[in-house]
């Protein structure tokens, strides 16, 4: 079945440090890939997405590139801020070969990021 | 009001109580979802509704009973819960690709449920 594996947290960084959160996946079909972020006390917010191989999703300084050859979708940011402290979830959604939509998202366990001033 | 809203935000209940969680989406989407978020575990999809019809039930115990009266509202009725049911319950909605959308799911803030 489909699965998503994220690096274990927590991750603690100083402000302006470089961030990488690794994400790899296994899936049938042709997955779309997502990063969601959950700030303390809130629900999940879509951060970025990529729908096909070599696509790069980006938002708020975060980037992730869909690497089909390595089945990865690592999240990166060049300079983190205290306000980036949150839990980050990698997720996939598969689309069947007929082009139909499978609306089920499969999530990783989440990675807690803490950024210190 | 825009987006996906959930009420209440926090709920404490005894094992013999009956309570309901409410979700409302203001995005015109056709599909709605219930997820359970427990500590140290991935989000678990519980139920999916598409145009008010339940299309997915991920082996959820019968003490959780969903209701979708229309495409904008989704309820989760709770009765005789167990302490291990304590979790954050998240609602989401999307416009599915077959309905002309992009299938991106938008989440509400969640209801933090504690079962004593």
């Amino acid at each position: 079945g489909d699965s998503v594996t994220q690096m274990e947290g927590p991750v603690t960084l100083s402000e302006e440090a470089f961030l990488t959160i690794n994400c790899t996946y296994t899936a049938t079909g042709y997955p779309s890939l997502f990063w969601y972020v959950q700030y303390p006390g809130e629900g999940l917010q879509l951060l970025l997405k990529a729908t096909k191989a070599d696509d790069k999703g980006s938002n708020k300084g975060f980037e992730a590139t869909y690497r089909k050859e390595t089945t990865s979708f690592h999240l990166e940011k060049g300079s983190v801020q205290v306000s980036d402290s949150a839990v980050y979830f990698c997720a996939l959604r598969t689309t069947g070969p007929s082009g139909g939509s499978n609306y089920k998202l499969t999530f990783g366990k989440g990675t807690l990021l803490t950024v210190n001033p | 009001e825009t987006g996906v809203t959930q009420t209440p935000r926090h709920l404490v209940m005894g094992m013999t109580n009956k309570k309901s969680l409410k979700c409302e989406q203001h995005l015109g989407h056709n599909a709605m979802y219930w997820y359970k978020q427990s500590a140290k575990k991935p989000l678990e999809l519980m139920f999916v509704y598409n145009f008010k019809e339940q299309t997915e039930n991920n082996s959820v115990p019968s003490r959780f009973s969903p209701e979708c009266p229309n495409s904008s509202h989704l309820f989760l009725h709770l009765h005789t819960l167990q302490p291990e049911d304590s979790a954050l319950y998240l609602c989401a909605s999307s416009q599915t690709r077959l309905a002309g959308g992009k299938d991106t799911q938008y989440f509400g803030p969640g209801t933090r449920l504690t079962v004593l």
Side-chain angles (χ1 to χ4, degrees):
Chain A
D2 299 341
S3 68
V4 175
T5 303
Q6 289 181 236
M7 63 186 291
E8 292 286 330
V11 175
T12 303
L13 297 173
S14 298
E15 207 164 22
E16 299 183 1
F18 184 86
L19 168 71
T20 300
I21 300 178
N22 290 338
C23 172
T24 57
Y25 67 89
T26 58
T28 55
Y30 308 95
S32 295
L33 301 173
F34 304 82
W35 277 101
Y36 281 84
V37 58
Q38 185 176 32
Y39 297 103
E42 300 184 14
L44 275 67
Q45 300 176 28
L46 178 64
L47 181 60
L48 54 84
K49 67 178 182 180
T51 58
K52 59 183 186 295
D54 299 324
D55 270 0
K56 177 185 284 188
S58 61
N59 186 24
K60 299 181 180 180
F62 291 88
E63 293 183 339
T65 300
Y66 188 144
R67 300 289 188 197
K68 189 174 181 180
E69 64 276 14
T70 55
T71 61
S72 65
F73 192 55
H74 303 322
L75 183 68
E76 296 182 336
K77 186 174 185 181
S79 177
V80 293
Q81 306 300 312
V82 173
S83 57
D84 294 326
S85 298
V87 181
Y88 292 82
F89 293 90
C90 185
L92 70 82
R93 186 189 69 226
T94 54
T95 301
S98 64
S101 177
N102 180 338
Y103 40 63
K104 287 193 288 187
L105 283 173
T106 301
F107 285 89
K109 291 185 178 181
T111 302
L112 173 62
L113 169 66
T114 301
V115 180
N116 295 318
Chain B
E1 196 168 4
T2 58
V4 181
T5 57
Q6 290 186 242
T7 54
R9 293 293 307 275
H10 301 272
L11 178 63
V12 179
M13 59 186 291
M15 289 191 287
T16 58
N17 291 158
K18 290 185 179 181
K19 297 286 184 182
S20 296
L21 310 184
K22 179 183 176 181
C23 175
E24 184 173 0
Q25 59 98 358
H26 310 270
L27 300 169
H29 290 164
N30 65 289
M32 297 188 76
Y33 313 77
W34 279 117
Y35 286 87
K36 177 182 180 182
Q37 186 180 24
S38 305
K40 309 292 185 184
K41 295 175 68 174
L43 268 75
E44 302 171 61
L45 179 65
M46 301 175 70
F47 301 103
V48 181
Y49 278 81
N50 194 0
F51 290 113
K52 304 187 299 177
E53 299 298 321
Q54 187 180 124
T55 56
E56 188 84 21
N57 178 338
N58 266 3
S59 303
V60 180
S62 59
R63 57 186 183 271
F64 295 91
S65 175
E67 179 190 0
C68 189
N70 54 61
S71 293
S72 298
H73 294 86
L74 185 64
F75 295 89
L76 188 62
H77 304 299
L78 315 171
H79 63 98
T80 60
L81 294 192
Q82 304 299 311
E84 58 265 29
D85 296 322
S86 299
L88 181 68
Y89 288 84
L90 292 165
C91 175
S93 72
S94 74
Q95 187 71 2
T96 61
R97 196 165 301 179
L98 292 177
K102 296 185 177 181
D103 260 334
T104 300
Q105 292 186 24
Y106 294 85
F107 286 79
T111 295
R112 175 69 63 186
L113 174 67
T114 302
V115 181
L116 302 176

